[in-house]
Amino acid sequence: LYCHPTDARYAHLVGKKAHVPLFNYDVEIHSSEDVDPTYGTGLMMVCTFGDVEDVNKWKKDKLPLRIILTPNGKMTDLAGEFEGLPVEEAKSKVVQKLKENGFIIGEKTVKQVISIGERSERPVEYLPVPQWFVKCSDLKDDLLKRVDEINWYPNFLKQRAIDWIEGVRDWNITRQRSYGVPFPLWKCADCGEVILARKEDLPIDPRHTTCHLDVCPKCGRKHIEGEQDVMDTWMTSSGTPLINSNWSGYEKSFGDSKVYPMSIRVQAHDIIRTWAFYTILKSHLLTNSIPWKDIMISGHGQNENGKKISKRDMEKYTEKDGYNRYQPLAVMHKFGADALRMWASSSRLGMDLKYSEKDVQTGRKTVLKLWNVARFVMGYLEDFEVDSHKPQTQPIEDRWVLNELHDTIERATHHFEKYDYALAKEAIDKFFWTVLCDRYLEMIKERFWNQDLYSDENRLSAMWTLWEVLSAVIGLYAPFIPFVTEELYQRIYKPFEKTKSIHITAYPESKKEWQSETPEMDVILEILSLARKQRTEQKIANSVKMKEVVIEAPHVDSLKPHELTLCSVLRTTKIIFSKGDQLRLTLQPEDQNDA
């Protein structure tokens, strides 16, 4: 038992012994500043091993060790009449026995913090078992330098690796289970001598293979036993960069490997302290280098309560109609694979993302919108000659949309180079929905509908621009929604390309010829928004054309060269320009009854 050194209730008992009821043995009473005198009775019972604090006290104060649990979770003979019982059943029966004997004088419900198994969700029990370790606690400075040699995306998660290394202990690489990579060694049961397997015998499983030596080289006895434990999973998976570069097969030329260090490691944030750290450690020890140049850290997909979606959620959760929203195949069956990918690609690097069916539906809207936009565009390109050159003169909206496309490709490429696919998608979405669909496509319709007002050259400029823009948009979206983009590529662009699939083409590149200064577009876009607002307020249907529109603006002369563009924007054939102190529109529909 332990009490706090300043707890007057128990200070006189320190150094004495307390009797353990039912089991007839005595335990010493100690003091420790780790004990909280306000919690419960103010006494801490050290029951090797109830939790980590018990382990620490046992080790520090050299307490006697009583192992009451077997490896299969049942009580040993030290439990007396409770021998053979599972832990939970034994607990209940011990409490019952204490009551029967009058040893319990009061009961109180308290909250406790205990360690539980992630999968079993049951309390963790400790057993002292010999373990194999990799010594790394004396390598902190070297490992911190290795971490600094790697490019971290996002960079703030680099600190998590630093914090782990600064507090790291030696690495326990042993697991007591039936599956896993075996340790290639035997031990002498008499003197403990370790006998390693010969290199030419590897790989080998000593649990099922006799040692190559008949007697122990140290004591000369024959009691040689194969190691029954297996390696921690990180002990083997931490070697993936080495395995991929065939390190064991090409030791002499390994230093010249074009594969190692690898370019990137992709993983989640919860295994920075395991997979990332152990891979860095192993590469440092075996090759004196880093395992990869970049590391990209993702988050987890979470349920609505903020808990990581696991296989258990995929297997157990089912809605009334039989639909499991945590099962990828079920989600894909309902919304399509592209829609699910659009949701997943919305996650920022290193950040968790809660699952939302609404967001998956939004992804599906993007897929359907892209398909419909492609159909819409192809309706205007029936007479377009693919090998035609860029028109010498282009309306301002054509030059504007190409300039916006240029900037979007630059931004998306910049984000992809930093592995930030979510920001790349945001940039592409903004161009597709706002620039292309909401504005540009609406601005060019009149060119194709009103052939008396717009010239063939004007329409050719629109067709050439649409062909270029749609190709780039499909390419930009290809990493996010690979199925619909591949279908559109095959139907529209494959007949004119040598590449069999969009997914083996080069990612869209910005073209210098697309860059253009279009300052007047700000006012033109403002006019478009104002016209839409006034149509709504005046209840004028979008299908109704304007007999004339009066535009008042401070710098109205700068708008006159773009009269045809404004006619298309405002759906009219007549514009009256007037100088004014602020932007105003006066709409006059062709049929006043429609207004």
Side-chain angles (χ1 to χ4, degrees), residues 53 60 117 198 262 369:
E53 188 58 38
K60 178 181 177 182
R198 295 174 299 189
M262 303 191 75
K369 187 70 173 179

Side-chain angles (χ1 to χ4, degrees), residues 422-480:
L423 285 182
K425 186 177 81 71
E426 283 183 22
I428 298 164
D429 280 342
K430 183 177 180 180
F431 174 83
F432 175 67
W433 284 98
T434 305
V435 176
L436 179 60
C437 300
D438 188 48
R439 295 175 176 175
Y440 181 72
L441 293 181
E442 293 300 316
M443 297 169 73
I444 65 168
K445 289 178 179 178
E446 286 293 321
R447 285 196 234 176
F448 298 96
W449 295 350
N450 192 338
Q451 297 190 11
D452 294 333
L453 187 62
Y454 298 93
S455 66
D456 290 341
E457 183 180 6
N458 199 297
R459 279 187 290 277
L460 175 61
S461 176
M463 288 191 286
W464 186 90
T465 304
L466 286 171
W467 181 261
E468 290 284 304
V469 171
L470 181 61
S471 174
V473 167
I474 292 173
L476 288 168
Y477 268 130
F480 303 99

Side-chain angles (χ1 to χ4, degrees), residues 46-56 58-59 65-69 124-128:
V46 175
C47 176
T48 50
F49 298 110
D51 57 25
V52 175
E53 188 58 38
D54 289 345
V55 178
N56 292 336
W58 164 75
K59 187 174 182 179
L65 181 63
R66 293 174 61 87
I67 302 176
I68 62 167
L69 282 179
V124 172
E125 304 287 353
Y126 296 85
L127 281 175

Side-chain angles (χ1 to χ4, degrees), residues 138-139 146 333 553:
D138 57 349
L139 298 174
R146 292 298 184 202
H333 180 73

